Amino acid sequence: MASSLHALLEKIVRTGDLVVTGPNGLHIYGDGTGKRVAISFTDDEASDEIARDPTLKLAEIYMERRMNVDEGDIYDFLALIKANTLSEAL
């Protein structure tokens, strides 16, 4: 996984259990609480694109099947991200 997406997820995901697998290995984010969500990327370029413009590229990469949700579903992933970004704003 590209280091820019790793840095972004490391900053955002403080609570929860997110496992991300990419061509370069596995990374775990959060404190391990709640339902586990696991995603994987088919190529590093996909994770780079999301890191550069998450609002636009996340849906595009998911629809192109360059990002897969391997455990849980896309709604679980979005809920995990939303819960962490809402808590950061407080």
Side-chain angles (χ1 to χ4, degrees):
M1 176 174 29
S3 61
S4 55
L5 183 61
H6 173 69
L8 181 63
L9 290 174
E10 187 103 328
K11 179 182 175 191
I12 291 174
V13 181
R14 300 286 183 188
T15 61
D17 189 6
L18 176 63
V19 177
V20 180
T21 306
N24 295 324
L26 177 113
H27 297 274
I28 299 172
Y29 303 94
D31 61 3
T33 60
K35 182 177 183 177
R36 174 172 281 198
V37 178
I39 64 172
S40 60
F41 291 96
T42 60
D43 59 272
D44 274 344
E45 192 172 311
S47 57
D48 286 341
E49 289 177 35
I50 290 173
R52 282 191 299 272
D53 190 355
T55 305
L56 176 65
K57 291 295 184 173
L58 180 66
E60 186 177 297
I61 298 296
Y62 178 73
M63 289 179 358
E64 291 172 351
R65 296 185 181 193
R66 295 169 64 203
M67 180 187 102
N68 301 301
V69 181
D70 304 316
E71 195 170 331
D73 59 32
I74 190 67
Y75 300 109
D76 296 326
F77 173 71
L78 294 173
L80 181 117
I81 297 299
K82 183 178 179 183
N84 278 276
T85 54
L86 287 177
S87 66
E88 253 189 35
L90 299 177

